[in-house]
């Protein structure tokens, strides 16, 4: 919304401090970790009766994580409404300039990317927000390794897609 409506963003230090305060409050008040991929498991556990989704860490966090996810969606809706509305678009900028795929190719690319991201978050035991924000702030070694891997893989893929395949 900021870019589309030419609004000035918060200074990075202010935004970072707010994320830090929210993370600390979340841990102190609820004893819950910040992360989005576990929320996806919470939503899936409402409709799929699989043992993996019936673990205590999933079912025990419904009271926190489901309202948290609803708040993320509601925040996006409020942002769109207050910013003058939202409409989907197919323009993917440099990707279009490099590959010139139609909507079906773009959907396939995004689907495959989503599968890889989902696999990676389960393999790493969490997503970039969980490891990069929460885990690193708690000095967790596994989160450092995961975050370095996330960023390293992103850099390698960006170079592969835009410099080798282009």
């Amino acid at each position: 919304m900021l870019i589309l409506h030419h609004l000035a963003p918060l200074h990075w230090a202010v935004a970072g401090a707010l994320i830090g305060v929210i993370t600390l409050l979340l841990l102190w008040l609820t004893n819950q970790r910040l992360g989005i991929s576990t929320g996806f498991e919470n939503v899936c556990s409402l409709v799929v009766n699989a043992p993996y989704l019936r673990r205590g860490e999933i079912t025990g966090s419904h009271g926190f994580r489901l309202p948290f996810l609803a708040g993320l969606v509601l925040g996006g809706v409020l942002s769109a409404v207050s910013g003058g509305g939202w409409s989907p678009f197919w323009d993917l900028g440099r990707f279009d300039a490099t590959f010139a795929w139609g909507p079906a190719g773009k959907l396939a690319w995004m689907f495959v990317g989503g599968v890889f991201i989902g696999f990676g978050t389960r393999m790493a035991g969490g997503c970039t927000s969980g490891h990069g924000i929460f885990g690193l702030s708690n000095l967790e070694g596994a989160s450092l390794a995961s975050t370095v891997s996330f960023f390293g893989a992103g850099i390698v893929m960006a170079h592969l897609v835009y410099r080798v395949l282009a």
Side-chain angles (χ1 to χ4, degrees), residues 29-45:
L29 296 174
T30 67
N31 199 30
Q32 296 287 335
R33 298 177 61 90
L34 175 69
I36 305 303
S37 63
T38 306
F40 181 68
E41 290 179 338
N42 284 91
V43 172
C44 289
S45 74

Side-chain angles (χ1 to χ4, degrees), residues 16-160:
L18 288 172
I19 291 171
V21 167
I22 290 168
T23 300
L24 289 172
L25 285 173
L26 186 62
L27 181 61
W28 186 53
L29 296 174
T30 67
N31 199 30
Q32 296 287 335
R33 298 177 61 90
L34 175 69
I36 305 303
S37 63
T38 306
F40 181 68
E41 290 179 338
N42 284 91
V43 172
C44 289
S45 74
L46 296 175
V47 294
V48 177
N49 191 16
Y52 177 79
L53 297 172
R54 298 290 172 215
R55 304 183 327 265
E57 66 185 270
I58 300 301
T59 58
S61 67
H62 281 341
F64 153 73
R65 202 155 317 267
L66 293 175
F68 174 68
L69 292 173
L72 289 176
V73 172
L74 180 61
V77 169
L78 290 175
S79 175
V81 168
S82 67
W86 175 83
S87 61
F89 58 91
W90 286 103
D91 180 23
L92 296 181
R94 187 167 176 191
F95 185 87
D96 285 339
T98 303
F99 296 104
W101 292 354
K106 292 176 190 180
L107 279 175
W109 181 262
M110 288 185 255
F111 178 80
V112 170
V115 169
F116 280 132
I117 289 171
F119 178 76
T121 58
R122 290 303 86 212
M123 193 165 115
C127 60
T128 52
S129 61
H131 283 297
I133 297 170
F134 197 88
L136 288 179
S137 66
N138 285 315
L139 305 176
E140 297 174 11
S143 290
L144 177 61
S146 295
T147 303
V148 168
S149 298
F150 293 147
F151 279 96
I155 291 167
V156 167
M157 282 307 298
H159 283 283
L160 176 68

